[in-house]
Amino acid sequence: MSAPTAGAPTRPTTRPTTRPTTPSTTRSGRRSRLRLAVVAALALALAVGVWTTRGGEQYPGAADPRNPGAEGAQALARVLEDQGVEVTVARSADAFDEARVDASTTVVVSGTEQLAASTLARMRRHASDAARIVLVEPDYALLQEIDPALGLLSVAAEGDDAVAARCPDGVAGVALDGLTVEVDRARSYHLDEADESCFPLGDGALMLTVDDLVLLGAGAALTNDQVTRADNAAVALRLLGHEPRVVWYVPDAADAVGDDAVTIGTLLPDWVGPGLWVLALSGVALVLWRFRRLGPLSTEPLPVVVRAVETASSRGRMYRRSGDRAHAARALRGAARADIAGRLRLDRGTPAPVVAEAAARQLGVPVEMVATLLDDERTSPATDQDLVRYAQDLARLRREVHRP
């Protein structure tokens, strides 16, 4: 190599520097990798849990077409699809309005306890062209919206006894005669003017047609755990699979309008309102009957005017004639005590010792002197002269107290 020429700048030579690895850096790297591994494991466990629970009881309602549980109807829905029936599930009133419903459609409504009066009317309007509308176990409130004369007779447990169809003409164009239904519980409906009925139970039937509705009281026949009993599967497939399309409507309580809310008025019988009005009117009539109208005050002249001095003289003569000096002395003493108490600004019912003490303080005399005259325990006068002297002493005491 040739040596660098004089005056030429020399380029500094840089060498790569390596940072020394310390134990703390190694530990922090291990912690970061450990955190990432824990987060990845949790995410994987969550994903596996979500994947394994897909198709589980996401819709736990009774007779729900996507519920694989014992009370669900997923098995029936899948069999219908395997048989070529198109099954559309609508879980709100808006979704049901968007579903196509025509003469080749069977509408089945499960979870009817969530069906309010407004959503019932809305559903019937949209499904007016359907081949049939099947309501699964409607309750009493819903029956009253359909027809007030419609009755829910019983909720019966039939045990191992199957109920025969006994309807040669079928129901809503579906032939069911010769089939039986066996369920753990059933609702029996009754209506004198029902169009058709099947599976009679007691005084009603497990299946009833009213106008455009088919009321199915044996809703358990559609469920996964009871669809294989007796002829439940055949009944369900004939009723729901008779047409090429099924719209399975699961109502949502949030679709109800404000007027559907349950209030005290809706829970009371219809006769309560008129009864309260009759009771109120009866109360008003009673008040008008017994009410006394008070007119202006009127003055009446007294038949006899008796002077106070005459009354006092008459009472004195009666006391003297009866010889009851004790009563006369007690009356004089009470009048004197009340007068002195009023003069000294005491209550008229003040006890005698208190009045005597106040009067003695006012007069500047010993308390015993006044208490002797005002004490209720004083010995009654023995003669008329003693009564007169006692009356004079009380009169003198009253004058002294009244003296300014």
Side-chain angles (χ1 to χ4, degrees), residues 330-344:
R330 196 161 47 247
L332 293 173
R333 186 165 52 248
R337 187 166 59 242
D339 181 66
I340 294 172
R343 179 63 179 175
L344 299 178

Side-chain angles (χ1 to χ4, degrees), residues 358-372:
R361 189 183 309 110
Q362 174 76 12
L363 300 176
V365 298
V367 178
E368 293 77 5
M369 182 182 299
V370 180
T372 302

Side-chain angles (χ1 to χ4, degrees), residues 220-262:
L222 310 180
T223 60
N224 299 325
D225 64 337
Q226 300 188 50
V227 71
T228 56
R229 297 172 60 177
D231 297 326
N232 294 355
V235 173
L237 291 176
R238 289 190 187 184
L239 186 63
L240 305 186
H242 193 271
E243 309 300 331
R245 298 186 65 253
V246 170
V247 176
W248 204 306
Y249 179 34
V250 183
D252 188 356
D255 293 329
V257 298
D259 294 340
D260 293 328
V262 178

Side-chain angles (χ1 to χ4, degrees), residues 164-167 176-180 231 238:
R166 298 177 186 174
C167 49
L176 299 174
D177 196 34
L179 301 180
T180 59
D231 297 326
R238 289 190 187 184

Side-chain angles (χ1 to χ4, degrees), residues 37-57:
V38 171
V39 172
L42 292 176
L44 180 60
L46 181 60
V48 171
V50 172
W51 180 263
T52 54
T53 55
R54 289 183 62 185
E57 291 196 20

